[in-house]
Amino acid sequence: MCAEDRAAAAEPCVTFTLAALPSSVGRARRLTRDRLSSLAVGDDACDTAALVVSELVTNAIVHTASRTVVCEIRTEADTVRIAIRDEGCGSGVPRPTGLRGPDEEHGRGLLLVSAVSNAWGVQDSGTGLSVWAELPIAGCPPDGGAFGARTEPAFGAAAFGGMGLDLDNFDD
């Protein structure tokens, strides 16, 4: 649990720090799944959280000169909140880059995060940026339809250029 949560006996939280290396992305996914599974979060929500962690950790590694990346995962009654904090030195505030062609290999991370999150955003953490996302634990948005209130625009399936996601083979 996070130090502040132990003191306040609030919702469960886990924080882990990883080296800013490509190999840390797979480790972040595994740690996320392990932690959420131990809290009896369903497989769909675990997979979605692992996807979001993977995309945000990758962005922190690729787009900043960080030596480490801090991952924080909190669970509440019906929400998983993920925050990835870097050490800064990046090229500004992360934003979805718009429509991509079906053959492009990069540039869809924040579009994916936006599509599967109830909300997401960016916060200055003093020494860098913290990019966060809130996901429904039940695997579907709270209103049963649209993906809830967002801090960024919603993107439809067309934004992914027809890209299919196979989460069964996503782990490493």
Side-chain angles (χ1 to χ4, degrees), residues 70-83:
V70 177
C71 305
E72 182 178 280
I73 303 165
R74 292 180 185 265
T75 56
E76 298 174 7
D78 58 353
T79 303
V80 174
R81 181 177 167 89
I82 296 165

Side-chain angles (χ1 to χ4, degrees), residues 1-8 11-15 72-74:
M1 292 182 77
C2 297
E4 66 270 12
D5 286 346
R6 283 194 303 268
E11 67 274 355
C13 176
V14 63
T15 301
E72 182 178 280
I73 303 165
R74 292 180 185 265

Side-chain angles (χ1 to χ4, degrees), residues 28-138:
R29 283 193 299 267
R30 285 188 298 280
L31 289 168
T32 299
R33 280 195 181 107
D34 290 348
R35 178 59 177 159
L36 292 176
S37 292
S38 74
L39 295 172
V41 172
D43 288 344
D44 287 344
C46 284
D47 286 345
T48 302
L51 171 67
V52 168
V53 165
S54 179
E55 294 301 333
L56 297 182
V57 169
T58 297
N59 283 352
I61 292 169
V62 170
H63 298 293
T64 73
S66 299
R67 290 174 292 141
T68 61
V69 176
V70 177
C71 305
E72 182 178 280
I73 303 165
R74 292 180 185 265
T75 56
E76 298 174 7
D78 58 353
T79 303
V80 174
R81 181 177 167 89
I82 296 165
I84 307 299
R85 188 172 61 243
D86 62 49
E87 296 173 318
C89 309
S91 59
V93 174
R95 300 183 195 289
T97 56
L99 299 178
R100 295 287 182 165
D103 295 330
E104 290 190 48
E105 295 181 15
H106 303 287
R108 292 184 180 91
L110 291 176
L111 294 173
L112 288 168
V113 170
S114 179
V116 300
S117 301
N118 290 338
W120 75 276
V122 180
Q123 198 173 340
D124 186 345
S125 66
T127 60
L129 292 178
S130 180
V131 182
W132 58 269
E134 293 180 351
L135 313 172
I137 285 180

